[in-house]
Amino acid sequence: MNPLDDLNADDARQSETLSAESEQALAVLSRCLDGEPVEPSEEARARSRLDSDPALAAAWRDMGSAQAALAALPGLTASAGFADRVVAAAAAAAPTHEPAPILPFVRRLAVAAAVTLGVTVGGGLARPLVAAADASIEQAWHAVDHFRSSPYAADDLARGIHSLLRSPDPTSPPPIPDPALDAAPAAEVPR
Amino acid sequence: MRDEDIALVERLRAGEEDAFREFVETYQDRIITVCARVCGSTTDAEDVAQETFIKALRSIDRFAGNSALFTWLYRIAVNASRDHLAHRRRRPAVPLDSAGVDPADDAAGPDARLQTREIQQRVRSALDDLAEPFRTTLVLREMEGHTYDEIARILDISIGTVESRIFRARRKLRALLEREDPE
């Protein structure tokens, strides 16, 4: 059950014993009891009603006695060493000033910069290689066209490829000798 | 805000440990009391009060000075107590006077002390039976002596709501006291 339901039921019960005007007067008197500002005319009206309505007078007495009972409850005192414990707990709970939260950010920033640089430089370096590969492909297509147009071009193409395989890298193993190619007459090599 | 509070806030912001100790010692009894009354138990009142002071220290830079320092501190205490209440719903509460933190009235005789304790127990029990918003409002008014305006600031509600809650809580409290003591 909602605790407010109980309170609402109490309100309803009390409203049965007090008229609406007396309810209003009781609220005004309650504010007076707390020293809150109340219009003098409003207070005078409430006090006048207090004299004429016994139910209101009883409710007002009850309210005063409840207030007195609460006010009479003693306050509590802190146990010995409470302040020391709080100061120690605050010191223990104080945040440390490590640069920990900054490090991951710096690390992420460095990684992002490295990736960007890598892509930029890598792209720049790769461009001449791609151009060279394009040129080689174009030369190869010329060779194929030449092969198609001349019966001697086949030997020419094979010799060219062989020489390419033999010459560029001094560290590579020597090519396997091909007697057929080595024996070919120099005059058959097209200019 | 009072001049002493302005100076204290500046020292707290500067991180002075002595300032924090002074801050705690100035308000500790009132904060422990309000935490105990709102929670309905003294068992955890000091823990909640400690949490209140540490939260206040952590957020002292955000204290704008629009209200009194104690009003701001009470607001933190009430919120911490409410959080504690919500957390405690799963486990039983220890009655308010069982921890025996209340100062005893040494001047009175044993009979008078017993009678006073019985009355106080009835009032506490009736107070605990009030719904939390009404209990908190009434505690701030009757036991802490705050004005409606201060309570409105502490609880972040309108003055009209404060007035209505106090009025209804008083009537309900009286009904609860009558139920416990039909004579």
Side-chain angles (χ1 to χ4, degrees):
Chain A
M1 179 185 167
N2 185 343
L4 295 184
D5 292 345
D6 193 25
L7 207 69
N8 291 334
D10 265 10
D11 279 350
R13 271 195 297 277
Q14 302 217 22
S15 297
E16 285 171 10
T17 57
L18 289 180
S19 66
E21 292 79 11
S22 292
E23 276 283 320
Q24 201 175 356
L26 192 60
V28 170
L29 292 167
S30 175
R31 279 165 54 194
C32 294
L33 188 70
D34 293 327
E36 293 293 322
V38 174
E39 287 289 322
S41 60
E42 213 177 5
E43 185 179 348
R45 223 177 8 254
R47 292 203 180 279
S48 158
R49 190 156 194 95
L50 201 58
D51 295 335
S52 61
D53 184 349
L56 173 63
W60 174 235
R61 274 197 307 276
D62 288 349
M63 193 173 271
S65 59
Q67 193 242 4
L70 271 182
L73 279 183
L76 305 182
T77 51
S79 61
F82 174 76
D84 292 336
R85 289 196 298 278
V86 175
V87 170
T96 53
H97 295 289
E98 288 175 8
I102 297 169
L103 266 180
F105 172 73
V106 170
R107 201 172 291 149
R108 281 198 299 272
L109 194 67
V111 168
V115 167
T116 307
L117 189 67
V119 167
T120 309
V121 171
L125 287 176
R127 204 164 292 135
L129 294 176
V130 171
D134 286 346
S136 298
I137 289 167
E138 196 170 343
Q139 278 179 351
W141 277 117
H142 280 305
V144 169
D145 287 344
H146 191 64
F147 172 75
R148 282 178 183 154
S149 61
S150 167
Y152 303 106
D155 289 342
D156 188 24
L157 182 65
R159 196 170 285 112
I161 292 172
H162 197 252
S163 68
L164 276 174
L165 288 173
R166 192 182 281 171
S167 64
D169 187 0
T171 61
S172 60
I176 299 166
D178 185 345
L181 285 175
D182 290 342
E188 290 179 8
V189 178
R191 297 283 178 255
Chain B
M1 195 164 57
R2 297 181 311 161
D3 289 346
E4 311 92 87
D5 284 347
I6 293 171
L8 184 58
V9 167
E10 288 306 314
R11 289 170 57 212
L12 286 168
R13 283 177 178 158
E16 283 185 34
E17 190 180 307
D18 284 350
F20 184 54
R21 181 179 298 278
E22 184 183 323
F23 179 52
V24 174
E25 287 174 347
T26 301
Y27 294 108
Q28 60 184 15
D29 290 349
R30 294 171 73 185
I31 292 300
I32 288 171
T33 301
V34 81
C35 290
R37 301 301 182 215
V38 174
C39 294
S41 163
T42 56
T43 309
D44 298 326
E46 287 201 353
D47 288 344
V48 179
Q50 175 174 309
E51 192 187 327
T52 298
F53 284 114
I54 292 174
K55 276 183 180 171
L57 181 65
R58 278 182 185 160
S59 48
I60 194 70
D61 286 337
R62 296 203 296 272
F63 173 59
N66 295 329
S67 61
L69 183 60
F70 75 85
T71 305
W72 179 72
L73 186 61
Y74 267 78
R75 188 169 181 167
I76 296 172
V78 167
N79 287 335
S81 301
R82 285 175 165 172
D83 289 347
H84 180 77
L85 264 182
H87 180 72
R88 204 187 61 189
R89 278 188 190 125
R90 295 182 206 93
R91 56 195 171 96
V94 177
L96 192 58
D97 68 343
S98 64
V101 182
D102 288 357
D105 182 7
D106 293 332
D111 289 347
R113 266 210 306 270
L114 184 64
Q115 193 180 13
T116 304
R117 282 199 171 275
E118 281 174 0
I119 293 169
Q120 287 175 357
Q121 177 53 35
R122 284 214 318 272
V123 175
R124 284 194 199 104
S125 175
L127 191 61
D128 291 348
D129 284 346
L130 283 179
E132 184 278 320
F134 295 87
R135 180 171 68 245
T136 302
T137 313
L138 199 59
V139 162
L140 290 173
R141 172 60 224 153
E142 306 287 32
M143 297 157 84
E144 303 300 320
H146 290 294
T147 64
Y148 287 9
D149 182 54
E150 286 168 349
I151 296 169
R153 286 169 187 270
I154 290 168
L155 300 180
D156 198 19
I157 53 179
S158 70
I159 291 180
T161 305
V162 172
E163 185 183 335
S164 163
R165 280 188 187 175
I166 288 174
F167 178 61
R168 295 175 71 193
R170 278 178 177 155
R171 293 204 317 187
K172 173 67 178 174
L173 187 72
R174 182 60 204 164
L176 289 168
L177 287 171
E178 277 178 354
R179 195 178 63 192
E180 293 203 2
D181 182 22
E183 296 172 14

